[in-house]
């Protein structure tokens, strides 16, 4: 089947098998290997991407279901060599160890912070309930998301917050 999708701002058009998973199309046809496959059963969240701005597990979505939609993968976060503030925060706050879960964590963080600029611990935990990490114990990930929210606040807001 012929599909047209926008991936990280680029228009892509290709023929796919109706049974092909979005995760496989991203990795194998578009060479976007940042999207990881950890379980293939919708449990781990390593394959999380954004579809029209909402986090989706790409191992449980057929590529044909993404036809006509906007897909963002972890490769779409940075601006060339410049890391996105969420990536910078994960580096600074040690939100990763082996890194296998990290792409999915970053995309879930992006989804959360695009909806709520200043989430509390409870909301972060709720949003990340579908993302598993074998290494970090999660606290460093929560700290990374909170630091990312600080980095993403406009400078004026930071100054106002300091004054009060
Ligand atoms: S690979 Fe998709 S949820 Fe684990
Ligand atoms: S950093 Fe290793 S699985 Fe999360």
């Amino acid at each position: 089947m012929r599909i047209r999708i926008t991936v990280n701002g680029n228009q892509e058009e290709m023929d796919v098998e109706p049974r092909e998973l979005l995760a496989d199309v991203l990795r194998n046809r578009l060479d976007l290997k940042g999207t990881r496959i950890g379980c293939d059963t919708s449990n781990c969240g390593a394959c999380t991407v954004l579809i029209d701005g909402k986090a989706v597990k790409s191992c449980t979505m057929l590529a044909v279901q993404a036809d006509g939609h906007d897909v963002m993968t972890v490769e779409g976060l940075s601006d060339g060599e410049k890391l996105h503030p969420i990536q910078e925060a994960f580096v600074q706050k040690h939100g990763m160890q082996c890194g296998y879960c990290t792409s999915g964590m970053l995309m879930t963080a992006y989804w959360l912070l695009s909806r709520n600029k200043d989430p509390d611990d409870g909301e972060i935990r709720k949003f990340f309930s579908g993302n598993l990490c074998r290494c970090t114990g999660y606290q460093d990930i929560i700290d990374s998301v909170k630091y990312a929210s600080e980095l993403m606040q406009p400078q004026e807001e930071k100054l106002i917050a300091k004054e009060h």
Side-chain angles (χ1 to χ4, degrees):
M1 297 176 74
R2 193 94 183 141
I3 62 166
R4 290 176 194 83
I5 51 179
T6 304
V7 183
N8 301 330
N10 300 317
Q11 300 278 352
E12 306 284 356
E13 186 168 348
M14 70 195 94
D15 291 318
V16 299
E17 297 284 338
R19 62 180 171 77
E20 268 186 277
L21 298 172
L22 178 60
D24 291 329
V25 165
L26 292 172
R27 287 177 54 82
N28 302 332
R29 291 179 181 268
L30 298 177
D31 204 26
L32 296 170
K33 299 279 200 295
T35 298
R36 303 284 171 76
I37 296 183
C39 67
D40 234 347
T41 53
S42 191
N43 282 303
C44 75
C47 64
T48 302
V49 299
L50 301 188
I51 306 287
D52 299 333
K54 186 174 177 208
V56 169
K57 292 176 178 176
S58 61
C59 75
T60 48
M61 181 171 186
L62 295 169
V64 292
Q65 291 176 295
D67 185 28
H69 293 276
D70 195 73
V71 182
M72 183 178 173
T73 70
V74 70
E75 288 87 350
L77 276 181
S78 65
D79 179 9
E81 296 291 306
K82 188 171 165 19
L83 294 180
H84 187 279
I86 297 173
Q87 293 171 307
E88 190 61 48
F90 270 69
V91 171
Q92 298 293 329
K93 297 291 177 183
H94 312 291
M96 73 193 89
Q97 287 180 27
C98 79
Y100 204 87
C101 70
T102 307
S103 308
M105 294 289 179
L106 293 172
M107 300 317 287
T108 299
Y110 188 99
W111 179 42
L112 168 58
L113 293 172
S114 66
R115 293 165 57 107
N116 182 355
K117 291 189 172 78
D118 190 18
D120 60 24
D121 281 27
E123 192 171 9
I124 296 171
R125 286 180 190 279
K126 190 167 137 212
F127 264 74
F128 282 82
S129 60
N131 291 78
L132 302 183
C133 176
R134 296 161 59 125
C135 309
T136 66
Y138 298 101
Q139 189 56 50
D140 287 346
I141 291 172
I142 292 168
D143 292 346
S144 299
V145 175
K146 289 171 96 168
Y147 187 48
S149 102
E150 275 180 41
L151 294 180
M152 289 168 75
Q153 278 182 46
Q155 202 60 32
E156 315 87 76
E157 281 182 31
K158 277 189 200 167
L159 291 173
I160 291 167
K162 271 191 189 157
E163 284 166 10
H164 292 282

